[in-house]
Amino acid sequence: MTHSEENYLKVIYHLSVVSPRGVNTNAIAGMIESKASSVTDMVKKLAEKELILYQKYQGVTLTEKGLLAAKMIVRKHRLWEVFLVEKLDFTWDEVHDVAEELEHIKSEKLINKLDAFLGFPTEDPHGDPIPNAKGEIKKIDKQLLSDLETGQKGICVGVKDSASSFLQYLDKQQIALGSKIEIIGKETFDMSLTIIVDGKEMIISNKIANNLFVKLAT
Amino acid sequence: MTHSEENYLKVIYHLSVVSPRGVNTNAIAGMIESKASSVTDMVKKLAEKELILYQKYQGVTLTEKGLLAAKMIVRKHRLWEVFLVEKLDFTWDEVHDVAEELEHIKSEKLINKLDAFLGFPTEDPHGDPIPNAKGEIKKIDKQLLSDLETGQKGICVGVKDSASSFLQYLDKQQIALGSKIEIIGKETFDMSLTIIVDGKEMIISNKIANNLFVKLAT
DNA sequence: AAATATTTTTAGTTTTGTCTAAATTTTAAT
DNA sequence: ATTAAAATTTAGACAAAACTAAAAATATTT
């Protein structure tokens, strides 16, 4: 598989979560930063290889084969992210682009040895699950901070958006994976939240709350 | 720079050691496993970018810019080899192909962090020198085992050929970097050598001796 | 020095992945 | 149920990096 094919497969995999009945050509083009016509071409090739099901005008879905291949790419991406943060001291906002390149290195031995070297991590630095060598993914019990009610408490376990500006904002506010968050109040006008993060009170916008995953704590 | 351009540059760098007055088109084609005509095309592109000097029919030489770029690729290749062997327990005959892919990852930060993580190694698993971040290479004092006289002793510090069949042969004979080697006798007919490796006597062919680097010991 | 052999370059194709512009199909709106 | 809008596909073109076959330049041999 070429780098380009792998990128398409990965994008289709991510979009499938939101559009399980078929991923649109334009949606793929948006993610790959290419044009719809290019997507049509590539999608035909992937269908030819039986990695996806494609019906003209109806979008695409992954086959079993394509799903596994996509998971293996995601696995590589996330394991490399762990490596970069844990071993090379990258910050969580710096890892994406490099991992985007590293995910295309073709060696099963490499990735499985790396997995072992890292201690078989189940989540990447952003809290996203890492598929194991068989493609199995440990479901993580999490919900958006914006869905909690006033008075509820949670532990930060992930981010929905990994844009570096967002991650840097979190660093600045000292919000990290593992932080204890309690909702003190909700502003009905803009849905901004007053929260206590590890004992420190602050106000965050709805957009922030809508991109932070927490695990409910008692 | 594309992967292909980087591969050409690296090959020209290695061939320059033997042909400092100009690297031949055919020599490059042989190493890249492509055809002479393809080399001519690429060589024009690299000359356009001022990475090499090219005069029709006269071969190519690296410019300062090209030399540094080539050294950085070699640096990446060899650092990744150290990583694979030291951290992921690859054997020295397994690392080449994977490092060949890893050397193209484009992140100066990555490679310098990796360098630090590995403790700034100066040699790769085959005894080849690793250029530092400035492109400086520590000259290694070594000579071919085949150039030693009977009675001389040396310590194995590198291999000239890194073919995995050769490396596996060395493993089987328990010859490794650091092994003490003493020449006991030379057969004039085929130039085969009787040697003592870490106390163990054995006979090796001239071809083997001609691909093993040793540092003279007293 | 001429003839031959080798090496290198040129010219013209191919493949991969992309694009633009036009045509087609589907979806939404009146 | 038409019509208008949006999404998708087709057709044709292009750039990168490779190739084959032929032409040109350099090297070697007699």
Side-chain angles (χ1 to χ4, degrees):
Chain A
M1 232 191 316
T2 65
H3 286 201
S4 191
E5 287 172 342
E6 290 190 341
N7 283 333
Y8 274 88
L9 218 51
K10 185 184 58 171
V11 159
I12 292 166
Y13 172 74
H14 288 312
L15 290 172
S16 293
V17 178
V18 202
S19 313
R21 318 230 131 252
V23 178
N24 295 331
T25 301
N26 265 349
I28 298 170
M31 295 281 279
I32 301 270
E33 294 183 37
S34 66
K35 297 300 159 70
S37 55
S38 309
V39 173
T40 301
D41 288 346
M42 180 57 86
V43 138
K44 284 179 184 168
K45 192 188 304 181
L46 294 175
E48 191 64 40
K49 293 192 175 187
E50 298 186 307
L51 294 163
I52 60 174
L53 297 175
Y54 167 56
Q55 295 213 94
K56 275 190 191 177
Y57 299 102
Q58 304 307 138
V60 302
T61 53
L62 291 167
T63 60
E64 273 304 308
K65 190 175 155 193
L67 177 63
L68 185 62
K71 280 176 175 172
M72 286 303 121
I73 299 161
V74 170
R75 167 172 162 79
K76 289 197 243 177
H77 182 101
R78 292 180 179 165
L79 281 174
W80 279 117
E81 286 195 344
V82 173
F83 170 73
L84 294 172
V85 168
E86 303 265 301
K87 303 297 181 181
L88 300 194
D89 297 315
F90 276 63
T91 55
W92 66 347
D93 60 296
E94 294 174 323
V95 296
H96 189 266
D97 292 349
V98 182
E100 203 82 338
E101 288 191 60
L102 285 163
E103 74 189 4
H104 298 296
I105 305 294
K106 280 161 194 39
S107 166
E108 221 170 289
K109 181 168 208 160
L110 170 63
I111 206 64
N112 292 332
K113 291 250 189 191
L114 180 66
D115 195 11
F117 178 60
L118 299 171
F120 303 103
T122 57
E123 283 145 51
D124 79 7
H126 311 106
D128 294 314
I130 300 174
N132 69 16
K134 293 178 189 163
E136 297 159 346
I137 298 174
K138 204 187 94 187
K139 185 83 195 295
I140 298 169
D141 174 35
K142 64 187 179 185
Q143 55 197 295
L144 288 173
L145 180 59
S146 53
D147 291 337
L148 295 208
E149 302 301 327
T150 303
Q152 286 192 294
K153 295 175 195 172
I155 291 167
C156 180
V157 294
V159 294
K160 190 168 133 193
D161 187 328
S162 288
S164 51
S165 59
F166 175 52
L167 299 173
Q168 283 163 16
Y169 165 86
L170 295 178
D171 284 345
K172 201 166 59 190
Q173 303 302 320
Q174 293 175 42
I175 301 172
L177 298 197
S179 293
K180 284 179 200 151
I181 303 180
E182 181 178 354
I183 314 267
I184 296 299
K186 234 180 223 191
E187 197 56 58
T188 49
F189 177 64
D190 64 354
M191 298 303 274
S192 65
L193 299 179
T194 305
I195 61 177
I196 298 180
V197 179
D198 294 326
K200 200 171 145 199
E201 187 174 317
M202 62 180 76
I203 292 171
I204 61 171
S205 72
N206 172 255
K207 183 160 184 189
I208 299 294
N210 204 34
N211 278 301
L212 264 183
F213 286 119
V214 294
K215 186 179 154 187
L216 215 57
T218 49
Chain B
M1 231 188 319
T2 66
H3 287 201
S4 191
E5 288 172 340
E6 290 190 341
N7 283 334
Y8 273 89
L9 219 50
K10 185 184 59 172
V11 160
I12 293 166
Y13 172 74
H14 288 312
L15 291 171
S16 293
V17 178
V18 202
S19 312
R21 315 232 133 253
V23 178
N24 295 332
T25 301
N26 266 349
I28 298 170
M31 295 280 281
I32 301 271
E33 293 183 37
S34 66
K35 297 299 160 70
S37 55
S38 309
V39 173
T40 302
D41 287 346
M42 180 56 87
V43 137
K44 283 179 184 169
K45 192 189 303 181
L46 293 175
E48 191 63 40
K49 294 192 174 188
E50 298 187 308
L51 293 162
I52 60 175
L53 296 175
Y54 167 56
Q55 295 214 93
K56 276 190 191 178
Y57 298 100
Q58 303 307 137
V60 302
T61 53
L62 292 168
T63 61
E64 273 303 308
K65 191 175 154 192
L67 177 63
L68 185 62
K71 281 177 176 172
M72 286 304 122
I73 299 161
V74 169
R75 167 171 162 79
K76 289 196 243 178
H77 183 101
R78 292 181 178 164
L79 282 174
W80 279 117
E81 287 196 343
V82 172
F83 170 72
L84 294 173
V85 168
E86 304 264 302
K87 304 296 181 181
L88 300 194
D89 298 316
F90 276 63
T91 54
W92 66 348
D93 60 298
E94 295 174 322
V95 297
H96 189 266
D97 293 349
V98 181
E100 203 82 338
E101 288 192 59
L102 285 163
E103 74 190 4
H104 298 296
I105 304 294
K106 280 162 193 38
S107 166
E108 220 170 291
K109 181 167 208 160
L110 170 62
I111 207 63
N112 291 333
K113 291 250 190 191
L114 180 65
D115 195 11
F117 178 60
L118 298 172
F120 303 103
T122 56
E123 285 147 48
D124 79 7
H126 311 107
D128 294 314
I130 300 175
N132 69 16
K134 293 179 189 163
E136 297 159 346
I137 298 174
K138 203 187 94 187
K139 185 82 195 293
I140 299 170
D141 174 35
K142 64 187 179 184
Q143 55 197 296
L144 288 174
L145 180 60
S146 52
D147 291 337
L148 296 208
E149 302 302 326
T150 302
Q152 285 192 295
K153 296 176 195 171
I155 291 167
C156 179
V157 294
V159 293
K160 189 166 134 196
D161 187 327
S162 289
S164 51
S165 58
F166 175 52
L167 299 174
Q168 283 163 16
Y169 165 87
L170 295 178
D171 284 346
K172 201 166 59 188
Q173 302 303 320
Q174 292 176 40
I175 301 172
L177 299 196
S179 293
K180 283 177 202 155
I181 303 179
E182 180 177 355
I183 313 267
I184 295 299
K186 235 179 223 191
E187 195 56 57
T188 47
F189 176 63
D190 64 355
M191 298 303 273
S192 65
L193 299 179
T194 304
I195 61 177
I196 296 179
V197 179
D198 294 327
K200 200 172 142 197
E201 187 174 317
M202 62 181 77
I203 292 171
I204 60 172
S205 72
N206 173 254
K207 183 160 183 190
I208 299 294
N210 204 35
N211 278 300
L212 264 183
F213 286 120
V214 295
K215 186 178 155 188
L216 215 58
T218 48

